[in-house]
Amino acid sequence: MGFVKGLKCRECGAPYPKEPLHVCSFCFGPLEVDYDYEGIKKVLTRKLIESRGKTMWRYQELLPVDGEPTVGAQVGFTPLVKANNLARVLGVKELYVKNDSVNYPTFSFKDRVVSTALTKAKEFGYKTVGCATTGNLGNAVAAQAVQACLESYIIMPADLEQGKIVGTLIYGTNVIKIRGNYDNVNKLCSEIADKYGWAIVNVNLRPYYGEGSKTYGYEILEQLGWKAPKHIVVPMAGGSLITKIEKAIKEFVKLGLIDEADTKLHGAQASGSAPITTAVKQETDVIKPVKPKTIAQSIAIGNPADGYYSVKSINVSGGWAEDVTDDELVEGIKLLARTEGIFTETAGGVTVAVTKKLIEQGKIPRDESIVISVTGNGLKTQEAVLDKLEVPRIINPSLSEFDAIMDEKMAVAQKR
Ligand SMILES: *Cc1c(COP(=O)(O)O)cnc(C)c1O
Ligand SMILES: [Zn+2]
């Protein structure tokens, strides 16, 4: 093991050692992990990957840890579902859902980044970890910190959904709610990381954390039979995941694990928090921060850390970006549930609704393969749909009362 050469500035290329650093001291560019791809190419084959356990760690040479994973060794390898029913409704030929709503252990793709970051935090010798979160990251850090015997602090906006709060508190972590939005929380966390010397996974461990997202991309490619799809639609918050899917595809091509790929990456946001899709649609790479106002709280980031790079990933790939209203995202959640039996959270509703929009606009041709990224679980954001569903009838435990309901249903069906 050990194909990590060090860190490298994404802008000026300045090299840095494998340490908990995240910003270039020359140009303030973000640091990224620098791998020895020649060395990896000599050992990593499809056969070796396929011989390993069905987790994200089957690609461990491409993850920034020195030894075996010590946290979250069971995370990943979620289903890639061939979504024929949804394909029929959307009028497309070949559609898949990459379903991280069932990721282990906390039902979102954030388990991947946390497994990577906390393994790294242990290697660095940290005793306390934490994060700034829009919900899912807090769930994942709290749960996996327990596994790792690390103390954790989860800092979140005060108004998150109940499922996200309970799904963090249950692990006995320290939760601090902030009067403010995610962008306020994030800034505070930078100050906390500096002052207390903790590993804040998405601040001072960000270069390592982000690499975990690549496995979401690797799995799509492997599960398609070592092939890249024509289109992947990705929800964007800080904009990290979409850039890491791009990186995953490029690495697999470079290593000869797949042939040339020409995958268009499409970004999805909620209209109430759409700084990245707005930039793409206005054909600029300058991100104008916004004050988020949407029920899609897990992706409500007004000043996205990787905004600039996500615009670049989209443009270089030839993809596009769209955003949808809260009503449209609720319809997206219902559509996926009622065609594929998958209950996703608000972010997934955004992605489904944006996919529909891009197909209708002709940005995604109907005869090309499409992957929809479902990144989180609907049981955590029940508020979004609770009053949008049929209210069930209540009867006594009596067959005649049940018969009366059936008679009503028959009458309605006959009238149609
Ligand atoms: C965090 C999150 C995203 C987006 O993450 P970024 O990498 O910050 O763009 C998407 N979906 C869900 C459910 C999330 O929790
Ligand atoms: Zn630099």
Side-chain angles (χ1 to χ4, degrees):
M1 277 300 299
F3 292 101
V4 176
K5 293 199 282 191
L7 298 175
K8 188 174 79 189
C9 174
R10 205 164 161 170
E11 286 304 316
C12 74
Y16 288 85
K18 257 187 278 185
E19 276 168 24
L21 300 167
H22 64 114
V23 193
C24 177
S25 41
F26 301 106
C27 75
F28 301 105
L31 303 185
E32 65 176 354
V33 179
D34 189 18
Y35 295 91
D36 167 18
Y37 288 111
E38 291 302 312
I40 295 173
K41 193 164 182 176
K42 288 198 190 105
V43 298
L44 193 63
T45 60
R46 290 181 186 178
K47 218 167 141 204
L48 177 62
I49 294 168
E50 284 165 350
S51 75
R52 290 175 171 163
K54 292 209 150 96
T55 77
M56 62 178 265
W57 291 99
R58 65 208 264 112
Y59 315 102
Q60 72 181 86
E61 286 82 356
L62 291 162
L63 292 170
V65 302
D66 291 334
E68 292 294 314
T70 54
V71 188
Q74 309 83 353
V75 175
F77 221 80
T78 55
L80 182 76
V81 178
K82 181 99 199 291
N84 291 336
N85 297 337
L86 181 57
R88 210 172 308 122
V89 173
L90 296 180
V92 296
K93 208 172 108 205
E94 192 182 352
L95 183 69
Y96 303 86
V97 171
K98 176 60 176 169
N99 187 7
D100 260 20
S101 76
V102 292
N103 207 1
Y104 177 87
T106 66
F107 312 111
S108 88
F109 97 90
K110 293 297 199 306
D111 286 316
R112 300 173 185 274
V113 288
V114 170
S115 169
T116 316
L118 294 198
T119 291
K120 204 66 206 169
K122 288 203 85 155
E123 285 182 3
F124 285 138
Y126 283 102
K127 300 281 181 277
T128 305
V129 298
C131 66
T133 182
T134 56
N136 286 312
L137 184 60
N139 298 164
V141 170
Q144 295 192 46
V146 170
Q147 262 188 43
C149 302
L150 293 163
E151 177 89 348
S152 65
Y153 281 81
I154 311 299
I155 323 285
M156 58 172 63
D159 64 350
L160 287 192
E161 303 94 336
Q162 182 167 297
K164 299 275 167 71
I165 299 168
V166 173
T168 300
L169 282 171
I170 194 66
Y171 302 108
T173 177
N174 303 285
V175 173
I176 319 278
K177 289 181 169 185
I178 306 299
R179 284 185 211 95
N181 60 30
Y182 174 82
D183 299 290
N184 306 128
V185 172
N186 192 50
K187 180 159 179 298
L188 175 64
C189 279
S190 296
E191 294 164 359
I192 293 171
D194 282 345
K195 173 151 187 191
Y196 288 85
W198 297 341
I200 304 289
V201 299
N202 51 343
V203 178
N204 49 344
L205 291 193
R206 195 169 177 88
Y208 305 98
Y209 152 99
E211 291 292 287
S213 290
K214 292 190 306 188
T215 61
Y216 189 85
Y218 299 147
E219 289 174 19
I220 292 173
L221 304 174
E222 180 180 349
Q223 289 169 317
L224 283 172
W226 302 101
K227 261 194 355 240
K230 284 280 190 195
H231 304 271
I232 306 180
V233 188
V234 187
M236 302 182 297
S240 171
L241 175 61
I242 195 165
T243 67
K244 296 298 179 175
I245 292 175
E246 177 195 28
K247 188 170 180 186
I249 297 171
K250 285 199 171 135
E251 287 178 335
F252 263 27
V253 171
K254 188 178 345 204
L255 295 169
L257 292 167
I258 60 169
D259 296 333
E260 273 310 312
D262 65 340
T263 305
K264 293 186 164 67
L265 298 172
H266 305 278
Q269 293 200 294
S271 302
S273 180
I276 306 176
T277 58
T278 302
V280 171
K281 289 197 274 185
Q282 293 178 350
E283 301 189 17
T284 166
D285 58 12
V286 180
I287 304 282
K288 256 229 226 70
V290 301
K291 260 211 155 68
K293 197 173 178 319
T294 169
I295 59 169
Q297 299 206 56
S298 61
I299 52 170
I301 295 184
N303 189 11
D306 287 297
Y308 168 77
Y309 293 108
S310 54
V311 171
K312 235 165 97 171
S313 296
I314 291 167
N315 288 338
V316 166
S317 77
W320 193 240
E322 261 302 348
D323 44 81
V324 291
T325 65
D326 286 359
D327 284 343
E328 287 173 311
L329 85 82
V330 168
E331 286 311 308
I333 293 175
K334 287 164 76 173
L335 179 60
L336 183 63
R338 289 166 189 206
T339 53
E340 297 300 329
I342 296 170
F343 185 15
T344 186
E345 67 149 75
T346 45
V350 165
T351 313
V352 171
V354 163
T355 304
K356 180 166 181 278
K357 209 162 174 174
L358 292 171
I359 293 165
E360 284 163 359
Q361 290 173 353
K363 297 277 187 196
I364 298 181
R366 293 177 188 274
D367 59 348
E368 296 184 350
S369 55
I370 310 162
V371 175
I372 298 180
S373 305
V374 163
T375 48
N377 192 299
L379 288 171
K380 295 193 200 180
T381 61
Q382 296 183 38
E383 296 89 336
V385 291
L386 201 53
D387 61 1
K388 305 280 187 349
L389 301 174
E390 305 74 20
V391 179
R393 299 278 294 270
I394 304 178
I395 58 171
N396 291 308
S398 124
L399 187 58
S400 63
E401 287 191 31
F402 187 81
D403 288 342
I405 293 177
M406 287 299 112
D407 290 345
E408 252 177 61
K409 272 197 187 288
M410 289 262 263
V412 171
Q414 268 161 16
K415 244 190 246 156
R416 283 214 188 104

